[in-house]
Amino acid sequence: MHNKDTEKTAQDLRKSGNSYLAISKKLNIAKSTAYLWTKNIKISASQLKNLTINSKKGLKRAQQSLLIKKLKTAKLRSIDAQKILSSLNFKDKNLLQTVAAIIFWCEGGKRSLSKTTLTNSDPKLIKTFLYCLRNGFQIEEKRFRALMHLHNYHDEDQQ
């Protein structure tokens, strides 16, 4: 249970333009508690603008952090896969078909029998799949299509 002094401090912090998250961190209380204690306090337009700007900056930092974490994970997976794939004989057509099938089984789209789709963010995995598909099966090159889904935190040129 919190005392009235903590609640008053929370209200003062909100009046000075602090976010609910900032209040909760400063006072070591739940964000929901900070909201309940201060929800009726009106803040100025400039304070609201600052909170909005800070919120957008925080979202961008979170997206960048998540992207870095994903890239590190993908990089580790790629290294492991690269070690395994480099030890295989890629002249054996049966092996190429098997590797393509395994990658498709794990990452491929199975909703349509008229097309083969693969979704993954690891370029090395996609490159390996395409190599195995092209060299393990008779595929018409003109039938290949690439479609990229990018999020707002991706660099389109880099992708």
Side-chain angles (χ1 to χ4, degrees), residues 118-133:
L118 180 84
T119 304
N120 194 281
S121 61
D122 184 350
K124 290 179 183 176
L125 181 72
I126 293 171
K127 185 177 179 181
T128 302
F129 175 72
L130 290 174
Y131 177 85
C132 293
L133 191 65

Side-chain angles (χ1 to χ4, degrees), residues 8-83:
K8 173 75 171 106
T9 304
Q11 292 168 349
D12 291 341
L13 287 168
R14 184 64 179 171
K15 286 175 187 173
S16 64
N18 283 274
S19 68
Y20 301 120
L21 180 61
I23 296 168
S24 72
K25 285 182 178 181
K26 288 178 184 178
L27 300 179
N28 197 26
I29 59 174
K31 186 177 168 185
S32 58
T33 302
Y35 170 77
L36 287 173
W37 287 349
T38 63
K39 66 182 177 183
N40 294 327
I41 295 174
K42 303 292 182 213
I43 57 174
S44 70
S46 65
Q47 290 171 329
L48 183 60
K49 183 179 177 183
N50 287 337
L51 288 174
T52 304
I53 290 169
N54 289 338
S55 177
K56 287 180 182 178
K57 287 179 183 177
L59 178 62
K60 187 168 183 133
R61 283 192 307 270
Q63 288 172 334
Q64 289 170 343
S65 176
L66 181 62
L67 179 61
I68 289 168
K69 190 182 285 187
K70 282 183 178 181
L71 289 173
K72 285 180 181 176
T73 303
K75 192 173 186 180
L76 291 175
R77 278 196 317 244
S78 299
I79 291 168
D80 295 341
Q82 208 61 31
K83 286 179 185 176

Side-chain angles (χ1 to χ4, degrees), residues 81-82 84-108 116 118 124-137:
Q82 208 61 31
I84 293 167
L85 293 171
S86 65
S87 68
L88 300 175
N89 176 9
F90 274 104
K91 300 208 185 332
D92 180 359
K93 195 169 187 170
N94 289 330
L95 177 64
L96 292 169
Q97 290 175 351
T98 303
V99 171
I102 290 170
I103 294 172
F104 176 76
W105 183 28
C106 295
E107 301 291 331
T116 302
L118 180 84
K124 290 179 183 176
L125 181 72
I126 293 171
K127 185 177 179 181
T128 302
F129 175 72
L130 290 174
Y131 177 85
C132 293
L133 191 65
R134 285 177 168 138
N135 294 290
F137 299 92

